Amino acid sequence: MAGEGEKKPVLRMVQADAADEGCVTFVLHDEDHTLGNSLRYMIMKNVDVDFCGYTITHPSETKINFRIQTRGGVPATEPLRRGLNELNDVCQHVLNTFQVMLNEPTAHVPDSKTTCLICASKGLFTGPEALHLQQDYTVSNVGRNAPKMIPFFCYLRAVADMWCRDTLL
Amino acid sequence: MAAPRTNVDEIRSRVILGEFGVRNVHTTEFPGNYPGYDDTWDMQKFQKNFRIDVVHLDESSMEFDMVGIDAAIANAFRRILLAEVPTMAIEKVFIYNNTSIVQDEVLAHRLGLIPIKADPRLFEYRNTVEESAEEEGSEIDTIQLQLKIKCSKNPRASKDSSDPRELYLNHMVYSKDIRWVPIGNQADVFADSSIGPVHDDILIAQLRPGQELDIIMHCVKGIGKDHAKFSPVATASYRLLPEITLLEPVEGEKKELWYAMCTSSHHHVAALIIIYFFAKVVNSRLDTCSREVLRHEDLKNVVKLGRVRDHFIFTVESTGILPPDVLVTEAIKVLMAKCQRFLSELDSAETV
């Protein structure tokens, strides 16, 4: 309803030294680690930022004190604005990627041939020289991204399939 | 064979599970921390490295890998899934009659926790100012439900029976007895989506002949931060992808030992298979990170256990109100809304 009392504050800026725009504590109301930590990460990735951190003032207060100190006289609002924009863009990219994966018909079809986690890993088939194949393996991951099996190894796969079902899963 | 990682790369990209503790836990990839590395934020680099793989998806649960993102942001998604994706839940219970042995307040609490199948995106939050004026909910922010049931003797029960199921009618009150009472135009708007409890078989109370319940309930939109009944997930969690690296060939007795360890059902330690002539890691994803292997003197120097710092294996289990993929989508949107909220506020912020 309009006009029913003053709206609750969302964001306030506290500056100990009014002349220094580079050292500001922002009070973010109704926020916690969810935004605090992810925003801190984004802002600390900025070279202009000397310090960035936040505290939850008290467990029963729903606000955080978000401190930014900058280098070279940059106003602290700039890294904050940039951090918020970048976090927003990251979310947008995550959202787009997620929706693309959901719409891909093969992405989540349960198929024993490709989703058997053990058999799908190419590690089984790269020969005894690949002791440190873990790095390759984590990059290529499992399931959908598994490489196409070489027919020669089909019987090996069948053996491993049975073995891992009996023993590991 | 992949190129070995340098020590610095390992610190940056892996969490190491040692015998007596976990090392390199925190993200340290910030500008100025590592000479020779450019750690400033680079959107192109992020978009190139980021990927999501859906491993499993059904109507109530999903598992997916989110790779190439920092724990701070992945954790934000997890926290939002638990506490900030809105759902509809019973908030007000008007008890006109309750002669059962379940006290009014206990009954009201039990009712509140029942998941209500209704798309929260189609409803508004109920205005708190209006609520203090004790105004009735409207069709855009409230769902009305009714539970009216009375227990009676079953006239057709055999005389010598002692089974309550045969003796009484309606002596078990289930969530399926809750009926939706549409307000305003809701009957038309939600005609094809039946609003009501997700599950039919939640036991609410037990009655005996003569006892009855006569209850009207109002469901409102809310978030898990306010009350756990609004949480849309049974659980939402992530773990880091385990990584097992063999530092030298595992042969002979060591192989036998490891084989015995891996195949004993109690120690599901390392997903390892003996093939060809020595042991090799087949799927470290299955590793439970129990570090059992480090208890064996023979083996602990042969293997390196780690976890990939930016590879998150998410597991989301929905309560059934919304499908899990929709929940994740909504969670991402909630974080974007938070950013937008402060961006728009930043211009009008007052300095103290």
Side-chain angles (χ1 to χ4, degrees), chain B residues 141-205:
Chain B
D141 59 22
T142 306
I143 296 171
Q144 196 172 50
L145 301 172
Q146 189 182 33
L147 176 61
K148 193 168 183 170
I149 194 164
K150 185 167 185 177
C151 180
S152 58
K153 279 203 173 109
N154 185 2
R156 278 179 294 182
S158 57
K159 281 230 165 61
D160 51 349
S161 171
S162 62
D163 183 2
R165 278 172 300 188
E166 202 190 337
L167 284 174
Y168 315 126
L169 295 170
N170 289 333
H171 84 293
M172 306 273 257
V173 183
Y174 288 105
S175 51
K176 63 169 173 272
D177 299 315
I178 294 176
R179 218 164 43 77
W180 173 43
V181 184
I183 311 171
N185 65 0
Q186 281 179 349
D188 302 325
V189 175
F190 302 105
D192 44 354
S193 61
S194 60
I195 289 177
V198 174
H199 308 282
D200 285 338
D201 54 353
I202 302 172
L203 183 64
I204 297 168

Side-chain angles (χ1 to χ4, degrees), chain A residues 31 34 81 92 134 137 168, chain B residues 79 244 268 283 338 347:
Chain A
E31 290 303 338
T34 305
R81 182 174 281 119
Q92 188 63 61
Q134 269 314 294
Y137 168 63
L168 287 179
Chain B
R79 285 175 62 96
I244 308 165
H268 194 198
N283 189 353
K338 281 173 184 288
D347 302 308

